[in-house]
Amino acid sequence: MSQEYDRIFKENIEEIILPLAQKVLGLPDPERLIEVPDDIQRTVERRPDFLKIVATAAGQNQYVLQLEFQTADEPDMVYRMLEYSALLLRKYKIPVRQFVFYIGSKPARMVDRLEQEDLTFRFYVRNVVETPYTEFLATTKPEEALLAILADLGNDAPETVVNRILLTLRSLVPGMLDLEKFLRQLEMLAKLRDLQDLTIKQIEKMPLTYDLETDIRFLQGKEKGKQEGKLEGKLEGKLEGKLEGQQVGRYEARREDIQALLKANMGTPEQIALVLNVPLLFVLDIQADITRNDS
């Protein structure tokens, strides 16, 4: 795999390994992951992309998990994986599970097994393009949401998919510097699906200068929520009123963000309401205001 893609996955692997194990590899949820010493990794021509000992069931049934990320459909991959397997078996004497996480645009055709008179060996290839992209968006980790751009888009238009990924990243990453890092990674991964130009255009439409946590309207909204909560509390009970006032203030604090997303056509009202955690009616009211002002 080229260095630019390799770097992205190695930066994010610790955060995405559990979702990958469950959603793509079909492995049970590991109880813990144990580091593999560097000396075993230095005995092979190339370092594995991901190599850990997995412990399940309170420390029982340990196995070595090796995961490789591939953009190229390498015909000799089976020999490379066999070499890894032999070294790991000799070192740890526990089962070795090996997977190639293939991120090419079409399913891989590489040979995944080797059978000779006194030898039977196989590893497993998993094609991310066969996984529905929505599975990667049902997450709390931005590193996992990035994988949606490589998955099966189904019948959804690429523009819709990119917008949903951007909305998800925006909701999961509050800090602008961190968000920009993930946007750069998304642009890079989009090249693998010939979607880089579209992704860049959609990113340029994003209201990136809007920082919700420091925006004056957000702070005013919080204060308004507190004041409305106090007033409502006097009339109908302090606790209930305070919570309601804070909720109103939180919704109002999102108004400019919702307006910017709607004007940039960055998702449907339903998607925006879901990602920003506000009532759909609130988003529809803002959409109606925009329509009236534009007419």
Side-chain angles (χ1 to χ4, degrees):
M1 180 165 50
S2 65
Q3 291 185 352
E4 54 191 13
Y5 302 121
D6 188 60
R7 184 170 59 252
I8 291 174
F9 282 100
K10 288 187 176 179
E11 286 179 3
N12 297 341
I13 187 63
E14 296 296 335
E15 294 297 328
I16 64 176
I17 186 58
L18 292 183
L20 283 180
Q22 297 166 346
K23 297 180 181 180
V24 181
L25 306 183
L27 298 175
D29 189 6
E31 181 177 290
R32 61 193 177 98
L33 300 175
I34 303 169
E35 294 291 335
V36 173
D38 281 344
D39 60 346
I40 189 67
Q41 300 192 37
R42 291 181 184 143
T43 61
V44 293
E45 182 180 351
R46 293 175 55 181
R47 292 171 62 94
D49 290 334
F50 180 85
L51 187 63
K52 292 280 176 45
I53 295 176
V54 178
T56 60
Q60 303 299 317
N61 303 322
Q62 290 188 351
Y63 63 90
V64 177
L65 175 63
Q66 180 193 352
L67 184 62
E68 298 294 318
F69 294 95
Q70 285 290 124
T71 58
D73 196 357
E74 294 188 14
D76 290 341
M77 192 72 184
V78 65
Y79 301 109
R80 187 168 129 203
M81 299 299 278
L82 176 60
E83 181 183 12
Y84 285 137
S85 181
L87 291 169
L88 293 168
L89 279 170
R90 179 183 178 185
K91 176 74 174 181
Y92 295 104
K93 298 178 176 61
I94 59 176
V96 178
R97 298 187 182 183
Q98 297 171 290
F99 294 86
V100 168
F101 189 69
Y102 186 69
I103 57 178
S105 60
K106 297 180 180 179
R109 295 183 178 181
M110 67 179 69
V111 176
D112 60 2
R113 66 188 67 202
L114 188 63
E115 294 185 5
Q116 297 183 355
E117 183 176 352
D118 297 316
L119 172 67
T120 299
F121 168 77
R122 75 165 300 178
F123 64 97
Y124 298 90
V125 180
R126 293 293 183 266
N127 296 288
V128 67
V129 73
E130 295 177 344
T131 303
Y133 80 92
T134 51
E135 292 193 15
F136 293 117
L137 296 184
T139 181
T140 59
K141 298 179 181 294
E143 294 87 354
E144 183 184 357
L146 289 173
L147 299 179
I149 196 69
L150 302 175
D152 181 10
L153 307 189
N155 295 323
D156 291 346
E159 183 176 354
T160 299
V161 175
V162 171
N163 285 340
R164 291 192 64 180
I165 297 173
L166 293 176
L167 283 169
T168 301
L169 290 175
R170 182 67 185 273
S171 68
L172 296 177
V173 188
M176 290 304 301
L177 290 179
D178 289 335
L179 179 59
E180 289 177 2
K181 181 192 79 170
F182 288 114
L183 294 180
R184 287 195 300 272
Q185 290 184 347
L186 180 63
E187 286 182 21
M188 191 64 61
L189 293 177
K191 289 175 62 177
L192 292 170
R193 296 296 184 266
D194 294 325
L195 295 174
Q196 188 177 44
D197 289 343
L198 173 63
T199 300
I200 291 174
K201 290 177 181 178
Q202 296 305 111
I203 289 174
E204 290 174 348
K205 294 180 181 179
M206 289 182 71
L208 294 178
T209 56
Y210 181 74
D211 189 346
L212 183 61
E213 295 299 327
T214 58
D215 188 271
I216 187 64
R217 282 190 174 272
F218 176 79
L219 299 176
Q220 290 173 344
K222 288 180 65 176
E223 184 61 29
K224 180 180 178 182
K226 293 178 182 179
Q227 296 301 324
E228 289 182 6
K230 292 177 182 179
L231 177 61
E232 195 72 21
K234 293 179 181 179
L235 298 175
E236 298 181 14
K238 291 183 178 180
L239 179 59
E240 181 181 354
K242 185 176 182 179
L243 291 175
E244 184 176 341
Q246 288 176 337
Q247 193 78 320
V248 171
R250 185 175 66 82
Y251 296 158
E252 286 299 323
R254 300 274 186 167
R255 179 175 291 274
E256 285 195 359
D257 208 16
I258 294 170
Q259 288 175 338
L261 291 171
L262 288 170
K263 290 180 179 180
N265 195 28
M266 297 285 289
T268 66
E270 291 80 5
Q271 292 168 344
I272 294 172
L274 178 63
V275 171
L276 295 184
N277 193 26
V278 298
L280 175 59
L281 183 60
F282 183 64
V283 179
L284 292 174
D285 285 342
I286 294 175
Q287 186 182 51
D289 289 341
I290 293 174
T291 302
R292 283 194 296 268
N293 292 334
D294 291 343
S295 61

